[in-house]
Amino acid sequence: MQIAVLGAGAMGRVASRLLGRRQDVDVVVVDADDDRAKKVAAEVGGEARTVDVSSGELAGALEGISAVASCLPYRLNLKAMEAALAAKCHYADLGGLYHMTKKQLELNDRFRDAGVSAVLGIGSAPGLTNVLARMGTDSLDRAVSVDLVDGAIQETGGFGVPYSAETVLDEFSLPSVVFENGELLEVPAGSGEMTWVFPEPLGELTAVFTLHSELATLPQAIPGLRDVRWRLALPPEIHSGFKLLTSIGLAGTAPVETKSGPIVPRDLLIALLQNLPEPVGPPSDVEVIDVRVSGEKGGRLASFAALLTLRPRDDLSAGAFGTALPITIAARWMAEGKIKPGVFPPETAFDPEPFLEEITAEGIGLKVRVEEDYSKSR
């Protein structure tokens, strides 16, 4: 099977590498930068195709492709998805930061009629968060609330960008969405602050609401839920750093007049962040996904808890490995015909147990427990 990885950046490179390990997959690396595409393709023994997603030529470049793993900036998701649909190949991406995901879900009928499938937001978060939430709700007779918290640290410390700088800026500046008492609500970015206790080495971190794709699908996908909340917990220096940068307007997109002429603050900030020196030494990040579901089981109050721990793998960072692995599994499953036609979030695309079995087979730690409160009956 031929699987195309869209984007030869940090995440696309890792996805290509993971797919390239498999004898049954021929990797095609697609990027606007010819040199970058050829470099990644050479590393994994694949083929390079050079095309700019915004040019409208992507559908032609997807000829002969079974499935697409899109590792592009989320603002390009809809264009990439339309190209996959035109080429009649399956499609998966790493998330649309809520609003883009909503637009992508509207393509469900067209994908179904074309006989191809799409899975939206299948990285670590969103992605594994959704699958674990589904596992949790399935383990209870009735699920009422879901709390999703993602914590990450660099054990060596220091300021760094944990993933796409543009996405981080959007998460810290755009209004967040929460689902409370059966209603979707917009709340300020960075609100809902609370101390969350993770296993070591993370320990206590401040967790806050940020805009995320899980809220675009979980409330509708799992009937009966009254509350769904997503929080992000980063090291204090990163949390306070991005909070300061956005508070003084450096995430802004409107040009600002300076002595050197008009400058878009966000463009300048992203350029500076991208020029930060690469970390010295092997990756040292650790990420923990904490999913809690509360509800009822056997007529009693009950709860589900899952802790998924990501650590560096070989020379890959925990964040990159944990984000790229799920999309490569999804792309393979779609190419093998395991996902029915249509557009789906991760919580309805897969049976959680076999999907998580593939995840944990790669050495990723997962602890799950279900507890019933025998002192309280409903």
Side-chain angles (χ1 to χ4, degrees):
M1 70 186 86
Q2 279 194 316
I3 296 180
V5 177
L6 304 187
M11 210 57 63
R13 181 178 182 180
V14 177
S16 298
R17 181 170 162 181
L18 295 177
L19 286 167
R21 302 179 307 174
R22 299 188 60 89
Q23 295 294 320
D24 58 343
V25 175
D26 294 323
V27 182
V28 177
V29 182
V30 182
D31 196 275
D33 186 317
D34 185 61
D35 290 338
R36 192 163 71 164
K38 288 179 178 177
K39 180 179 179 181
V40 174
E43 289 175 354
V44 302
E47 175 189 348
R49 297 182 186 178
T50 305
V51 62
D52 185 340
V53 175
S54 301
S55 69
E57 299 175 357
L58 180 57
L62 297 179
E63 183 179 351
I65 298 297
S66 301
V68 166
S70 180
C71 300
L72 298 168
Y74 78 90
R75 286 190 171 87
L76 296 175
N77 282 0
L78 204 55
K79 290 183 178 180
M81 197 173 176
E82 287 281 6
L85 180 60
K88 291 192 175 180
C89 56
H90 306 291
Y91 169 91
D93 65 38
L94 296 173
L97 210 63
Y98 186 84
H99 299 293
M100 178 60 74
T101 300
K102 286 287 193 183
K103 294 178 182 178
Q104 293 175 264
L105 289 167
E106 295 175 3
L107 273 63
N108 176 63
D109 291 348
R110 293 172 58 198
F111 266 75
R112 185 193 59 217
D113 293 345
V116 289
S117 58
V119 181
L120 310 181
I122 183 59
S124 58
L128 296 181
T129 45
N130 303 64
V131 177
L132 288 169
R134 169 68 185 280
M135 173 181 273
T137 57
D138 285 354
S139 69
L140 305 180
D141 296 335
R142 175 173 174 258
V144 177
S145 68
V146 175
D147 281 281
L148 314 161
V149 186
D150 187 6
I153 65 164
Q154 293 278 351
E155 289 195 278
T156 56
F159 184 88
V161 184
Y163 40 93
S164 164
E166 188 169 0
T167 301
V168 176
L169 290 174
D170 283 344
E171 290 186 10
F172 274 87
S173 59
L174 297 177
S176 307
V177 175
V178 297
F179 186 65
E180 293 191 339
N181 295 318
E183 184 179 0
L184 284 167
L185 304 171
E186 279 197 351
V187 297
S191 61
E193 185 173 300
M194 65 182 298
T195 299
W196 198 271
V197 181
F198 292 95
E200 293 297 336
L202 273 68
E204 292 188 358
L205 291 175
T206 298
V208 299
F209 294 140
T210 66
L211 187 64
H212 237 242
S213 299
E214 290 92 342
L215 273 297
T217 60
L218 280 171
Q220 293 77 33
I222 301 174
L225 285 180
R226 298 291 299 170
D227 303 295
V228 181
R229 292 171 290 260
W230 152 268
R231 285 181 171 90
L232 178 66
L234 296 176
E237 63 271 20
I238 298 180
H239 176 88
S240 58
F242 275 100
K243 189 174 181 180
L244 173 63
L245 293 172
T246 55
S247 69
I248 63 176
L250 282 173
T253 57
V256 175
E257 290 296 331
T258 72
K259 291 181 180 180
S260 302
I263 294 176
V264 177
R266 174 179 289 238
D267 292 347
L268 173 62
L269 179 56
I270 289 175
L272 292 172
L273 291 171
Q274 290 175 338
N275 285 333
L276 287 173
E278 292 289 330
V280 178
S284 64
D285 60 321
V286 182
E287 181 177 353
V288 175
I289 294 172
D290 192 342
V291 174
R292 313 279 181 90
V293 182
S294 64
E296 300 174 9
K297 186 177 180 66
R300 300 181 178 89
L301 297 180
S303 63
F304 165 95
L307 283 172
L308 189 145
T309 303
L310 299 166
R311 291 183 176 274
R313 171 73 177 270
D314 301 325
D315 60 340
L316 302 176
S317 71
F321 177 65
T323 301
L325 180 62
I327 196 172
T328 63
I329 296 172
R332 286 195 292 104
W333 281 23
M334 288 189 291
E336 293 167 359
K338 293 182 178 180
I339 312 299
K340 65 182 180 181
V343 178
F344 307 97
E347 62 266 29
T348 60
F350 315 114
D351 182 345
E353 290 193 9
F355 191 84
L356 291 168
E357 282 177 6
E358 286 220 26
I359 293 292
T360 56
E362 294 284 351
I364 293 174
L366 175 62
K367 295 181 179 180
V368 173
R369 73 176 188 273
V370 178
E371 296 181 350
E372 296 179 42
D373 187 344
Y374 287 91
S375 66
K376 296 180 181 179
S377 298
R378 302 291 286 188

